[in-house]
Amino acid sequence: NQSYLCSLAAIEQLAVTSETEKPPQSVSAVVRDMELYVLLEGLIDVDLEKERLRKEIGRMEDLLGKLSGKLGDHSFMTRAPKAVIEKERDKKTSYEENLEKLRRNYSTLVD
């Protein structure tokens, strides 16, 4: 069914492997229990994508810094309802996860 998948995805080549290392200059997606990689070389301007990721990393670091400051503010922590504090903590966790993914994607393009 490789030819069917290639036709459906409009790709020239499909490789199925049990290798777990992400190929250089690729993006990934997790679908159920599979991790899919798309090689970016020749598809995008890698320098432009690195610049976009640098900006997004900076933006995410700023958001995370502000949120950490808010959660470190004694006044906020004593006055805010528990639901609000929990929502901000969840947001911080989400920001941290997103920042890690952005950094990982950036490092893949740099290698």
Side-chain angles (χ1 to χ4, degrees):
N1 292 338
Q2 238 178 319
S3 62
Y4 173 72
L5 286 174
C6 287
S7 174
L8 186 64
I11 58 175
E12 294 177 11
Q13 183 182 7
L14 174 68
V16 179
T17 180
S18 60
E19 203 173 298
T20 58
E21 191 152 327
K22 186 176 177 183
Q25 295 193 345
S26 67
V27 292
S28 67
V30 177
V31 180
R32 297 188 189 186
D33 61 343
M34 294 185 304
E35 191 164 8
L36 309 170
Y37 301 106
V38 176
L39 299 176
L40 297 176
E41 188 176 11
L43 295 177
I44 66 164
D45 182 331
V46 175
D47 290 333
L48 196 62
E49 180 63 7
K50 287 193 293 190
E51 180 60 27
R52 184 192 72 78
L53 287 170
R54 276 193 295 266
K55 286 179 182 176
E56 187 63 17
I57 287 168
R59 187 182 77 79
M60 194 58 60
E61 287 172 339
D62 287 345
L63 289 172
L64 191 54
K66 290 175 185 174
L67 193 52
S68 294
K70 188 178 197 179
L71 290 170
D73 181 1
H74 178 72
S75 178
F76 172 76
M77 295 300 285
T78 56
R79 294 174 141 182
K82 288 185 183 203
V84 171
I85 292 171
E86 194 59 38
K87 182 179 175 186
E88 295 301 297
R89 285 182 176 149
D90 290 344
K91 195 187 301 185
K92 182 178 182 228
T93 300
S94 175
Y95 287 175
E96 289 169 337
E97 290 169 356
N98 288 340
L99 181 58
E100 178 59 32
K101 289 175 189 174
L102 289 166
R103 286 179 174 156
R104 196 174 15 207
N105 287 340
Y106 179 79
S107 71
T108 299
L109 292 177
V110 172
D111 293 339

